[in-house]
Amino acid sequence: MPWLKHPYRHTASEMEDLSYPPSGGRVKLVLLGILLPAWILHAGATAWLTEQAIWFGQGNSDIEVKGATAKSLGVVYSCVGLFCHFRWCWGLVPVYRVYHTGTVVSLLGIITGMAFAAWHAFF
């Protein structure tokens, strides 16, 4: 059995936990709501500007991609950073309208960016 896996929790309950705002204090707001998203957004901007990115895989199967695929992954990285920002900054403030809207838009950006990255990489 995995290290922190609870035997009675399933994927549906994990997804339900993501639909509610997080709990925490100022440390979580600063670390997960500001610093982590800034680092991820920097990686996304770097991937967009240099047109080089790493497509993370399972284990040691990371791939360095270039061109339009890297730009699409830069959008994905940026949307992941925005997801972290909206979840742990605006969810802890609490400004729930910005939290819900930003979370949904960033998740749609992740899905769209991954679709474009797959399109450019494989077709």
Side-chain angles (χ1 to χ4, degrees):
M1 182 157 52
W3 182 44
L4 291 175
K5 182 130 173 108
H6 193 276
Y8 300 109
R9 290 197 53 106
H10 302 289
T11 304
S13 58
E14 296 293 335
M15 289 185 336
E16 184 179 355
D17 285 348
L18 279 177
S19 66
Y20 298 117
S23 61
R26 292 183 187 197
V27 173
K28 189 182 273 189
L29 186 138
V30 170
L31 290 178
L32 296 177
I34 297 171
L35 295 178
L36 177 67
W39 180 60
I40 298 173
L41 283 168
H42 173 70
T46 303
W48 179 271
L49 293 174
T50 62
E51 294 186 3
Q52 293 180 347
I54 296 175
W55 193 322
F56 295 104
Q58 190 173 12
N60 290 332
S61 62
D62 300 339
I63 300 171
E64 184 177 348
V65 293
K66 297 180 180 183
T69 307
K71 282 190 166 191
S72 299
L73 283 179
V75 171
V76 171
Y77 295 162
S78 299
C79 287
V80 168
L82 289 175
F83 172 78
C84 293
H85 174 70
F86 284 117
R87 173 132 180 99
W88 284 291
C89 185
W90 293 104
L92 290 173
V93 169
V95 180
Y96 295 124
R97 185 169 300 229
V98 175
Y99 160 74
H100 286 296
T101 305
T103 302
V104 169
V105 169
S106 63
L107 288 175
L108 289 174
I110 291 170
I111 293 169
T112 305
M114 284 303 292
F116 276 104
W119 175 263
H120 289 298
F122 301 119
F123 296 111

